[in-house]
Amino acid sequence: MEKEIRALKAEKNAVIMAHNYQPPEIQALADVVGDSLELAVKAKETAADLIVVCGVRFMAETAKILNSARKVVIPVEDAGCPLADFLTPDMIREARRRHPDAAVVVYVNSTAESKALADITCTSANAVRVVASLPNDTILFGPDANLAAYVQRELPEKTIIPLPPGGHCYVHTGFTLADVEAARKKGGTIVCHPECPPEVQMQADLIASTGGMVRGAAAGGEEPWWVFTEREMASRLRVLYPGRIFYEKPEAVCADMKKISLEDLRRALESGEHEVVLPPEVMDRARRAIERMIAVGA
Ligand code: 13P
Ligand code: SF4
């Protein structure tokens, strides 16, 4: 199967992009493995004819928006992100009416339609930098309320309004103070994604995007590492840093990230399914918000 995938990839002049939460066998075949921001930047730059995004839908949509001349496919059509579904375009319109002076910052874990209504997007790698770059005192920020709380702690001079108030990722809200306590008893470093609940974030040694975790691990720190995010991140870190100790939480599984198999990837390369198609006007408006984010940097 691996051989077939490599041959098809060459034949179709394709690039395979995989998020850090993808199954290890998919990551092993990918040309690019990274966090949401890294995948977006690489998708914008690639000259490949076909971009296969192994991740969830918003990641494939972002790739399409940034490089719309290319064909972009997602191997499993219904690989979504439940967090993205918390924020609707109507919520954004209504919040803008109530807060006309506020800027709207939309996390990339969102639909293309929501991004099209944003002033700027952000990822977990650059959320603080993005908000700090804006002149507005009030920021409407969605859909992740825990990431909003993190940005608020880092930038107390701003007023961050979460949109909606309870938007969350079920994988990350599964981390609790009991996990912190259990890790602390054994020692080491706790690294936590900003989608985790604020009380957990505040006890962590490092709060980072999944790409930030890769960079943070390169810098060292007391072992073992307790990796408070989707459990595949620990296997990614073990591949990158063999011999080091990284612990995952076995229950922290993003079901949608696990939908893509090698057979799905092979089929996607062969058939060119499932192609991401978005209305041009939505792509144009969303592209402005995403490119503005990329210009701010990580
Ligand atoms: P990262 O951008 O940190 O990889 O996060 C994406 C995501 O879906 C987190 O759950
Ligand atoms: Fe969405 Fe959570 Fe899965 Fe990330 S881990 S893709 S935020 S559901």
Side-chain angles (χ1 to χ4, degrees), residues 83-95:
L83 168 61
D85 299 332
F86 270 97
L87 183 63
T88 66
D90 279 349
M91 279 177 200
I92 300 176
R93 288 189 197 99
E94 166 60 18

Side-chain angles (χ1 to χ4, degrees), residues 81-116:
C81 168
L83 168 61
D85 299 332
F86 270 97
L87 183 63
T88 66
D90 279 349
M91 279 177 200
I92 300 176
R93 288 189 197 99
E94 166 60 18
R96 272 202 195 275
R97 271 194 290 275
R98 275 185 283 119
H99 302 277
D101 297 330
V104 173
V105 179
V106 169
Y107 190 31
V108 287
N109 299 46
S110 56
T111 62
E113 290 73 16
S114 290
K115 288 183 182 77

Side-chain angles (χ1 to χ4, degrees), residues 168-179:
H168 68 275
C169 159
Y170 72 97
V171 180
H172 289 88
T173 51
F175 287 89
T176 65
L177 287 176
D179 296 313

Side-chain angles (χ1 to χ4, degrees), residues 19 21 35-37 58-59 107 109 124 172 193 195 209-210:
H19 186 262
Y21 298 160
D35 69 9
S36 308
L37 182 62
F58 78 79
M59 295 174 179
Y107 190 31
N109 299 46
S124 54
H172 289 88
H193 197 277
E195 289 175 16
S209 72
T210 63

Side-chain angles (χ1 to χ4, degrees), residues 217-244:
E222 196 193 325
E223 285 193 46
W225 263 47
W226 302 89
V227 184
F228 282 18
T229 187
E230 212 274 346
R231 73 175 183 195
E232 219 65 73
M233 192 61 219
S235 48
R236 170 85 181 133
L237 291 167
R238 283 193 285 268
V239 168
L240 291 172
Y241 307 106
R244 306 248 314 257

